[in-house]
Amino acid sequence: MSLCPTKSSTYIGIFWVHEDSLNAGFKGFEEVSSAIFVWDNNYFQQMNYSLKRLVFIYETLLELPIEIWEGNTVEVLEEQSKSKGVYVVATPNPLLQSYISELSKKVNVSIVKDEPFVENDLDEDYTRFFPYWNRIRNRVLDQS
């Protein structure tokens, strides 16, 4: 596994878009030949996602310049990369990290650093979104 910055030349290989990288403003989309999201029902079941969450993910995907594939995440990515490698945005999600680790045993995987939505110097651990949002809302809205 390697780490590469977002500001690079065109990526050779595919770009794996996962739920932590659903960002239409991501600069990497301009630099890839192919970006894909894998609709993995097993993954969604393990994450215990509700229908509402799945609809949100799907509707977001429709707004992005990517292809949507269905199946086992690692298998689909391995097949679609055609041995050219896979680029993926770093994620704190342990299950996605395990997929990245498993995939890196089969193809070259490069982890891409994304620019943060907002700089957060807060030390608190937020387990729910709204306490976090209430603390950073003004910083986010002032950037517009």
Side-chain angles (χ1 to χ4, degrees), residues 105-130:
K105 295 174 185 171
K106 301 173 182 189
V107 298
N108 184 36
V109 175
S110 297
I111 298 175
V112 178
K113 298 280 278 178
D114 193 7
E115 295 177 20
F117 179 63
V118 65
E119 292 296 330
N120 183 10
D121 56 356
L122 306 173
D123 293 333
E124 298 179 41
D125 180 26
Y126 294 97
T127 55
R128 305 286 297 170
F129 175 74
F130 284 107

Side-chain angles (χ1 to χ4, degrees), residues 49-57:
Y49 285 163
S50 67
L51 178 59
K52 192 174 192 177
R53 173 76 177 194
L54 296 175
V55 168
F56 170 79
I57 291 170

Side-chain angles (χ1 to χ4, degrees), residues 60-110:
T60 303
L61 291 170
L62 294 178
E63 299 294 322
L64 298 175
I66 63 172
E67 297 176 29
I68 303 171
W69 289 81
E70 183 181 17
N72 175 283
T73 299
V74 174
E75 291 173 5
V76 169
L77 292 169
E78 181 182 10
E79 180 181 317
Q80 294 303 312
S81 73
K82 298 177 178 66
S83 301
K84 293 181 182 173
V86 174
Y87 294 85
V88 61
V89 172
T91 175
N93 180 321
L95 187 51
L96 291 177
Q97 287 177 353
S98 73
Y99 288 176
I100 292 168
S101 178
E102 184 180 343
L103 184 63
S104 69
K105 295 174 185 171
K106 301 173 182 189
V107 298
N108 184 36
V109 175
S110 297

Side-chain angles (χ1 to χ4, degrees), residues 139-144:
R139 283 191 248 173
V140 172
L141 298 177
D142 288 343
Q143 292 178 5
S144 302

Side-chain angles (χ1 to χ4, degrees), residues 1 12 16 21 26 46 48 57 67 92 94 98 107-108 137:
M1 255 185 304
I12 306 298
W16 170 26
S21 59
F26 178 62
Q46 289 182 62
N48 199 29
I57 291 170
E67 297 176 29
S98 73
V107 298
N108 184 36
R137 175 182 34 220

